[in-house]
Amino acid sequence: MASLQHPFQCLRYVNRQSAGQSDILVATAGRNLYSYDASSGQRLDVWPQPVDADVEDQSSDAAPASESQGPPEKRRKLSESSEEQKDAKSESKSKDSNKEATNSWTNIPLLTVAHGKYVVIMTSEDKCVRVLSLDNEGKLKQLSARTMPKKLSALTLTPDENNILSGDKFGDVYTFPLIPSGEYVKVQAPVKPYEPSATNLTVHTKRNLESLEQQMRQAALSRTSQAERVVLNFEHQVIIGHVSLLTDLISVTRPADSAVGKRSYILTADRDEHIRVSRGVPQAHVIEQFCFGHTSFVSSLCVPSFEPKVLVSGGGDNYLLVWDWLENQILQKVQLPGSEGETTVRGIWDVSLAPTADNVDPVKAIFVALEGSSQLIYYTVGSDNTMTHQDTLQLSGNVLEVTGIDSRGTILVAVDTLRQSDSTSAWKSSSQPPLETFRLSSGKWAPVEDPMVTKINSEGTSSLPTTVEEKQQKELNDSVYHLSNLRKRGDAYDD
């Protein structure tokens, strides 16, 4: 088997408004986060920095045997204060943070960007939300890491981009500040442990003694569970709770009209076919309504930036629903082309591009990809807020992510470099380029050569062993293709 490389799982185009700063493309592949110059495709940074084992081996081989252990550790003065010792330990710990981080997760499935200078990611196995700074040169530096109690399934920002919204697999939505404000100390009200009022000195009958023993066992279990309960050590608030697995989460501000003033909302979807419309923070406890219409799980929500009164939703059905979401009204049911049998919507993306030489009118498009499909379905939205199927793009691999590049009038599509087209398990014998780009011409999206994409593809991503064990192969498959597990089979859940 030839050389393999991880596909890009997330893409974000960062439009840098400040003068003298070039736009940046941020992407995740495998366990790494990448930043690229969006004009040239030059790689600016990789986080975390890889540990170069060869360099370490060479340095150790070059040293004489007697010096292989390095110089002795610097002795500390006995008069050194505890604060100084603590600072030295924390400094040493920060130097080793990247090295320790290299073994703590295998992929980064969630990514968003705030204010054009902060990147927010969720690393998988450690359930950690990390905020990194993105400087003028595109360099990445971790600012904070906050471990969540459950693995996240959705990540976004409030409309002002000052707070993070996260949804987990237990249906809870948390909010916490993008930048932590100092040291946080959680104030806990003292909990009085339950103790039975009776004792074995006041109870005499056999039945009452058995009841007392059961109450004492329950009190002991309660004390143990309280002691083991995870306490988040950062400022946070639980604002929404679903009774089933939360699948998608978006935050949107709807412009004022004659009926409703300008107000922010949080839209959430779950495994139980529900779409909930809640008010934004700090009134997220107010539920405006539920949008019912799907017969299977809802996996993706999209409120187009060019038409915020419209919601497009899709999931385990073979159709999309177009909503006037604040009025709880279904505007259209769109049958997915070529959807036979069980289909799963992987993603719905809105793309808005400025006019170009090829298109005198601005582009306002909706793209839809199905799980394990190499086709990208293209829709337009009419003046009556209904969608019309215009074209179906054929990619060289399964579609994973789509983003628009306004400065080029193109879309950038991340394709699966490992699995064969239209398959979620069969692997290719060799990897392919991870990115493809298309430009709209005469109403059709056609592939184009882009020097930026050529440069990114030539450098590739992190590599995989030429032979991958079956167990590792399955883990890699499940990290990318997991939405089909949301489908209910009979009366039981497939968790």
Side-chain angles (χ1 to χ4, degrees), residues 299-300 344-349 367-371 376 400 483:
S299 59
S300 187
T344 300
V345 173
R346 176 180 181 83
I348 306 172
W349 301 273
F367 291 96
V368 179
L370 303 182
E371 182 93 324
L376 185 62
L400 300 182
L483 293 176

Side-chain angles (χ1 to χ4, degrees), residues 139-157:
K139 300 298 182 181
L140 298 160
K141 179 182 179 181
Q142 180 173 301
L143 301 179
S144 65
R146 285 165 276 192
T147 302
M148 306 302 296
K150 304 295 179 184
K151 187 174 181 180
L152 299 186
S153 54
L155 184 70
T156 189
L157 301 166

Side-chain angles (χ1 to χ4, degrees), residues 431-447:
S431 285
Q432 66 175 71
L435 294 178
E436 296 183 29
T437 186
F438 292 80
R439 180 176 287 114
L440 185 64
S441 178
S442 302
K444 298 290 183 180
W445 290 90

Side-chain angles (χ1 to χ4, degrees), residues 75-92:
R75 294 183 179 180
R76 298 192 179 279
K77 297 179 181 179
L78 294 177
S79 59
E80 193 172 42
S81 66
S82 59
E83 284 76 9
E84 292 174 336
Q85 294 179 18
K86 191 180 298 183
D87 292 342
K89 288 181 180 178
S90 63
E91 182 180 354
S92 175

Side-chain angles (χ1 to χ4, degrees), residues 35-56:
S35 64
Y36 298 92
D37 188 319
S39 58
S40 66
Q42 178 185 357
R43 182 185 292 178
L44 303 175
D45 201 7
V46 182
W47 182 91
Q49 288 294 329
V51 178
D52 195 340
D54 295 336
V55 173
E56 291 180 357

Side-chain angles (χ1 to χ4, degrees), residues 319-372:
Y319 56 83
L320 305 172
L321 290 180
V322 183
W323 306 79
D324 181 338
W325 52 271
L326 199 53
E327 298 296 330
N328 195 8
Q329 178 184 0
I330 298 177
L331 303 177
Q332 187 184 15
K333 183 177 179 180
V334 182
Q335 200 72 23
L336 289 166
S339 57
E340 298 177 358
E342 292 184 350
T343 61
T344 300
V345 173
R346 176 180 181 83
I348 306 172
W349 301 273
D350 68 296
V351 173
S352 180
L353 303 176
T356 62
D358 295 329
N359 297 283
V360 295
D361 297 324
V363 176
K364 297 179 179 179
I366 299 289
F367 291 96
V368 179
L370 303 182
E371 182 93 324

